Amino acid sequence: MLGAFMAVLDIQITNSSLQDIQASLAATLEEGSWISTAYLVAEIVVIPLTGWLSRVFSLKRYLLVNTALFIFFSVCCAWSWDLNSMIVFRALQGFTGGVLIPTAMTVVLTTLPPSKQAIGLAAFAITAVFAPSIGPTLGGWLTENFSWHYSFYINVVPGLLMLAGVWYGIKQERPQLQLLKQGDWWGIISMAIGLASLQVVLEEGSRKDWFGSALIVRLSILAVIFLTIFFWIELTRKQPFINLRLVRSRNFGLASIVNVSLGVGLYGSIYILPLYLAQIQGYNALQIGQVLIWAGIPQLFIIPFLPKVMQRIDVRLMVAVGVTLFSVSAFMNSKMTYQTGYDQLIWSQLVRAMGQPLIMVPLTSIATAGLSPKDAGSASGLFNMMRNLGGSLGIAALATLLTNREQFHSNRLGESVSLYNPATQERINQMTQYFVSRGSDLSTAQNQAIKAIDNVVRREAFVNAFNDCFYFIAIALLLSGIAILFLKKVKVTGGAVAH
């Protein structure tokens, strides 16, 4: 759980300090975006591979090596001397950190007795939904009080604790190196190229004007071709490296749809709300973190009670309530004005904090109920990949939606605030007189007045665009609720998950 927590935390923790990192490495905003993209691309490629590789090298050895490398590459990121070295080390950090997420879930499904699995899944939920919520807070606090380097150094102590825990607590099994000879190499290669291309398209598409960029067009074609080959190989091969047939299972397939929308809501909210707070309210990284923490800390008090509640209440109902609460919190945020700040946002964050755990823990139980131990690695890889992919899809859609809706609202408001409108002329005259009273000459004061009104129009256009983004998140979550209606009932007794 410690490893999964660190790996998920590292997706978000650098976002708060990205401007400082860019300044330190003399990188532009567009170049600096690759610091996050490199990590996410490497992570999403390795997550589906983890189940197979942990069988090849044995779970204990695979975890120990990747944990040690994750610590090493985290320190290397802090020591980066230019942008290229940072991107390389971030990719390697993502490649080793991505291993830690699905293996945490695999350990729950394969090593815990049935009576403890629901507790284990609740612990896993903390890594999945709590870590992204506190990532920006922690990153902002470290950057404000120390420096951006500590966003990477922070992995060292928990990483060493994890090494000791895995060495002591995970049973050593014999590696199955013979699996390398019969490895599904074409499936692995097509998956790696397809997923990496798709992830870059989703991360960089909105910055590069989507299909106006030759790079995005080429990568989109690669993603379609190689992901099609990957699906065909995995569904027809007798011994695939990951069992895609799990998606045909009613509960796993439907739970995966809800999981994608959870990724959209989880990572989309953490992307769009800090953007609003920085752009409209002028908050720094630490102040943004103080708002987001209200969606994180309450989850620590809710999650421990969920295994007991799951024994008494239909887990499908819990997921439905969770999706509804998360959606309600997004609807609450869709009513923002330029004055909406810390005090007004606390309530929507608390509602979100109540909803997220009610989705994650019961949903994981539903998806994994009745799975055989040999499918645990594939299930964990697929389930976690779906959530991360949902996050990337959500952020890409929101970034594009924000740009388009800002332009739309700006045009609509611009039509109303015309220089020929008597109300606008009166306001310009009032502001001109104000600037003249502050020492400006008449011509300068008029320009300042027009500029001030233009700034107000742009501000209001952005606020409306941010509201539209939260509408999108709310609707996406509600639509996923349709899948919940078709889930088969799963009984949880004594913490055990079984049909």
Side-chain angles (χ1 to χ4, degrees):
M1 296 306 151
L2 200 56
F5 189 85
M6 287 192 299
V8 175
L9 190 73
D10 270 53
I11 296 172
Q12 295 293 335
I13 197 169
T14 55
N15 288 354
S16 306
S17 47
L18 208 51
Q19 286 186 332
D20 296 78
I21 296 172
Q22 288 164 358
S24 178
L25 300 177
T28 64
L29 186 65
E30 186 169 336
E31 290 170 340
S33 69
W34 285 96
I35 295 168
S36 295
T37 301
Y39 184 91
L40 289 166
V41 168
E43 186 182 66
I44 205 157
V45 167
V46 82
I47 284 175
L49 274 171
T50 297
W52 179 68
L53 289 174
S54 60
R55 291 204 311 276
V56 172
F57 299 109
S58 84
L59 182 62
K60 182 173 183 175
R61 190 170 298 169
Y62 189 54
L63 263 179
L64 286 172
V65 170
N66 278 283
T67 304
L69 289 173
F70 181 71
I71 298 168
F72 174 70
F73 291 130
S74 295
V75 173
C76 287
C77 286
W79 290 352
S80 298
W81 53 91
D82 61 14
L83 180 67
N84 291 334
S85 63
M86 171 62 89
I87 290 171
V88 170
F89 291 138
R90 271 295 269 176
L92 292 169
Q93 189 196 26
F95 204 77
T96 51
V99 169
L100 309 181
I101 300 170
T103 47
M105 188 169 160
T106 304
V107 166
V108 171
L109 298 174
T110 56
T111 64
L112 290 185
S115 62
K116 301 294 182 188
Q117 280 196 3
I119 298 170
L121 291 174
F124 180 73
I126 292 176
T127 73
V129 295
F130 176 65
S133 300
I134 67 154
T137 310
L138 194 55
W141 184 80
L142 288 169
T143 304
E144 290 288 321
N145 291 284
F146 300 98
S147 75
W148 63 264
H149 304 81
Y150 284 85
S151 295
F152 299 107
Y153 289 142
I154 198 173
N155 292 323
V156 174
V157 173
L160 293 172
L161 286 172
M162 185 188 167
L163 280 175
V166 170
W167 184 271
Y168 172 78
I170 302 285
K171 182 183 173 184
Q172 178 63 58
E173 296 171 344
R174 288 186 63 186
Q176 302 175 51
L177 296 177
Q178 71 276 8
L179 290 174
L180 289 172
K181 292 181 181 177
Q182 47 196 267
D184 178 14
W185 293 109
W186 288 114
I188 291 169
I189 291 167
S190 59
M191 181 275 297
I193 296 173
L195 272 185
S197 301
L198 177 62
Q199 187 70 33
V200 174
V201 167
L202 293 174
E203 287 295 312
E204 297 294 320
S206 63
R207 298 186 191 101
K208 298 185 184 297
D209 193 28
W210 291 105
F211 298 113
S213 162
L215 173 68
I216 297 300
V217 171
R218 285 196 292 268
L219 288 176
S220 298
I221 293 168
L222 278 179
V224 171
I225 292 171
F226 281 95
L227 286 177
T228 303
I229 294 169
F230 164 62
F231 286 123
W232 179 74
I233 291 172
E234 298 312 292
L235 292 172
T236 57
R237 190 180 166 91
K238 288 181 180 177
Q239 290 183 310
F241 80 91
I242 188 166
N243 185 8
L244 285 185
R245 294 179 183 88
L246 287 173
V247 181
R248 294 177 184 172
S249 164
R250 181 164 147 190
N251 270 12
F252 188 88
L254 291 170
S256 295
I257 293 171
V258 182
N259 201 28
V260 169
S261 80
L262 175 63
V264 171
L266 185 63
Y267 292 108
S269 299
I270 295 166
Y271 166 75
I272 211 73
L273 190 56
L275 212 55
Y276 161 80
L277 290 170
Q279 203 162 319
I280 306 300
Q281 298 301 327
Y283 282 17
N284 61 30
L286 187 56
Q287 289 171 315
I288 292 169
Q290 287 169 346
V291 174
L292 296 182
I293 199 72
W294 287 96
I297 296 296
Q299 295 184 50
L300 289 180
F301 299 96
I302 296 169
I303 289 174
F305 294 101
L306 291 180
K308 286 291 182 187
V309 176
M310 285 163 62
Q311 295 172 33
R312 293 171 171 81
I313 298 176
D314 188 335
V315 284
R316 296 174 300 176
L317 178 61
M318 291 177 68
V319 176
V321 171
V323 167
T324 303
L325 286 171
F326 199 170
S327 183
V328 166
S329 78
F331 276 124
M332 290 169 74
N333 284 345
S334 68
K335 307 292 183 188
M336 297 187 300
T337 70
Y338 75 94
Q339 293 177 317
T340 303
Y342 176 87
D343 293 334
Q344 294 78 26
L345 290 169
I346 286 175
W347 296 107
S348 63
Q349 295 300 92
L350 287 172
V351 172
R352 182 177 134 202
M354 289 188 287
Q356 283 178 189
L358 290 177
I359 305 172
M360 186 65 198
V361 185
L363 190 68
T364 311
S365 294
I366 291 168
T368 57
L371 289 181
S372 62
K374 69 180 178 66
D375 284 328
S378 290
S380 178
L382 281 171
F383 202 67
N384 286 286
M385 183 189 74
M386 293 284 194
R387 190 177 61 255
N388 281 19
L389 208 51
S392 297
L393 284 166
I395 290 171
L398 288 166
T400 305
L401 185 67
L402 183 67
T403 303
N404 292 341
R405 296 302 288 176
E406 188 276 328
Q407 290 172 354
F408 170 79
H409 289 297
S410 191
N411 291 335
R412 290 292 297 273
L413 289 168
E415 291 168 6
S416 303
V417 186
S418 165
L419 288 174
Y420 302 105
N421 187 319
T424 306
Q425 289 175 350
E426 186 181 343
R427 184 66 179 149
I428 290 173
N429 290 335
Q430 289 173 353
M431 295 185 77
T432 301
Q433 289 167 14
Y434 167 77
F435 287 119
V436 167
S437 70
R438 299 295 297 268
S440 299
D441 61 74
L442 185 61
S443 175
T444 304
Q446 277 185 328
N447 289 334
Q448 287 175 318
I450 293 169
K451 180 67 176 172
I453 289 174
D454 180 59
N455 289 339
V456 170
V457 169
R458 282 189 61 79
R459 183 194 69 198
E460 292 303 310
F462 266 114
V463 171
N464 285 331
F466 282 118
N467 287 342
D468 292 342
C469 288
F470 279 109
Y471 265 123
F472 172 82
I473 293 170
I475 299 298
L477 286 162
L478 283 181
L479 286 175
S480 75
I482 297 170
I484 301 168
L485 300 173
F486 299 97
L487 289 168
K488 286 192 289 187
K489 187 171 183 177
V490 168
K491 191 179 180 184
V492 181
T493 53
V497 181
H499 283 298

